[in-house]
Amino acid sequence: MGLLATGGSTNHVLHLPAIARAAGIAIDWSNIDALSAAVPLIARTYPGGSGDVNAFHQAGGMAFVIGSLLDAGLLHGDVLTVWEGGLAAHAREPVLDADTLAWHPVPHSRDDTMLRPPHEPFLPDGGMRLLQGNLGHATFKTSAADPSRWTVEAPARVFADQDDVLKAYHVSAEGAGRRRAGPVARRRHCPGVGRRRNDRRLIDSAEWAARDRAAAPPPPPPIGTGRELFAFLRHGAGIAEQGGSAMLAAMGRDIADGEIDEPEALTPASRTARPTHDYA
């Protein structure tokens, strides 16, 4: 809830499902999308706003966010945390009162360009949108982009090596001063990759079926710099929507094969094994 209310990082849509699954709780991007529709955006911090985390703290910070979400009925105050008093205890900030540490609530925002109460939000939703279509699943954060940029249609380019990405980036940056606009990317053997329409990434089905499958990139040279230590993580990583955890994906396959028992808290959907890459 705090992630959505503050327009937090899309990195969390990887971390939170992985953490939840490690605890035996199955959540995915559809859950985050549904929650986002019910949680208002009450913070504007960089890159979604002009102020940084220091300005966020000065405006009331987490004490204001937690307190206002509790008042709006969007959080449970009795949730256990590492600190006694439940989550409600975090709706206060530390201050010095005559050289004595005291904890005071923050009932109001000190800067309404940074923080607002839930009944006067910056946006009515948390800004984490789920995209679905024949290209797969993805999420993006509308709170960090102007609505005019929510829909993008452009050619795409696929890279198999990060060094090739850097080379292409530098070429693009050098040419930026000579051209005002151009392809943001280009996909091998095909034109534009598609568009976002009504929260779905679409491409013509006939065109999609006619395209050649991209070949797997060649394996890297065996240079022995420690890359082999992480081969298990590359080979066995789960899908992003389930947290991308190689260990949890391996557990799911072992459960499906009957090698270990299924934890009671896990649902069948949480252990679905997806194909993984077969290259190093």
Side-chain angles (χ1 to χ4, degrees), residues 63 66-67 70 75-79 81 83-92 105:
I66 293 174
L70 284 169
L75 293 177
H76 295 285
D78 58 351
V79 171
T81 72
W83 195 6
E84 64 178 353
L87 190 60
H90 295 263
R92 300 176 298 168

Side-chain angles (χ1 to χ4, degrees), residues 54-137:
N54 298 295
F56 168 81
H57 179 73
Q58 291 297 322
M62 290 306 301
F64 173 80
V65 170
I66 293 174
S68 60
L69 292 178
L70 284 169
D71 291 341
L74 294 170
L75 293 177
H76 295 285
D78 58 351
V79 171
L80 295 179
T81 72
V82 295
W83 195 6
E84 64 178 353
L87 190 60
H90 295 263
R92 300 176 298 168
E93 65 176 1
V95 297
L96 280 178
D97 187 358
D99 294 329
T100 300
L101 177 63
W103 297 86
H104 294 171
V106 184
H108 306 291
S109 170
R110 303 187 187 103
D111 183 351
D112 61 8
T113 67
M114 291 291 304
L115 287 172
R116 294 181 183 177
H119 63 275
E120 297 177 346
F122 293 100
L123 291 173
D125 63 80
M128 201 73 75
R129 300 292 181 87
L130 173 65
L131 306 183
Q132 302 181 79
N134 52 9
L135 295 183
H137 289 64

Side-chain angles (χ1 to χ4, degrees), residues 3 6-11 41 43-53 56 113-114 123 141-146 149-150:
L3 164 71
T6 58
S9 173
T10 48
N11 287 333
L41 180 72
R44 279 287 194 195
T45 54
Y46 183 84
S50 60
D52 60 12
V53 292
F56 168 81
T113 67
M114 291 291 304
L123 291 173
K141 185 170 66 176
T142 59
S143 61
D146 185 270
R149 298 182 180 273
W150 291 2

Side-chain angles (χ1 to χ4, degrees), residues 128-253:
M128 201 73 75
R129 300 292 181 87
L130 173 65
L131 306 183
Q132 302 181 79
N134 52 9
L135 295 183
H137 289 64
T139 61
F140 81 111
K141 185 170 66 176
T142 59
S143 61
D146 185 270
S148 64
R149 298 182 180 273
W150 291 2
T151 300
V152 176
E153 183 177 4
R157 184 175 177 181
V158 174
F159 296 94
D161 186 273
Q162 62 182 1
D163 290 333
D164 293 337
V165 177
L166 291 174
K167 292 175 184 176
Y169 172 79
H170 290 308
V171 170
S172 177
E174 291 172 359
R178 298 191 296 272
R179 65 174 185 267
R180 304 189 67 180
V184 295
R186 184 169 298 151
R187 194 180 196 284
R188 192 181 300 114
H189 308 313
C190 65
V193 99
R195 62 179 65 84
R196 189 194 75 83
R197 181 187 298 157
N198 296 330
D199 289 349
R200 298 184 65 84
R201 292 194 304 175
L202 304 175
I203 197 165
D204 182 75
S205 298
E207 180 184 348
W208 179 250
R211 293 183 179 181
D212 296 332
R213 289 183 177 271
I223 54 179
T225 58
R227 180 181 173 88
E228 63 276 7
L229 298 177
F230 302 98
F232 165 71
L233 299 178
R234 292 192 301 277
H235 282 293
I239 62 174
E241 192 171 0
Q242 294 181 359
S245 170
M247 290 177 285
L248 292 178
M251 182 187 72
R253 290 190 290 271

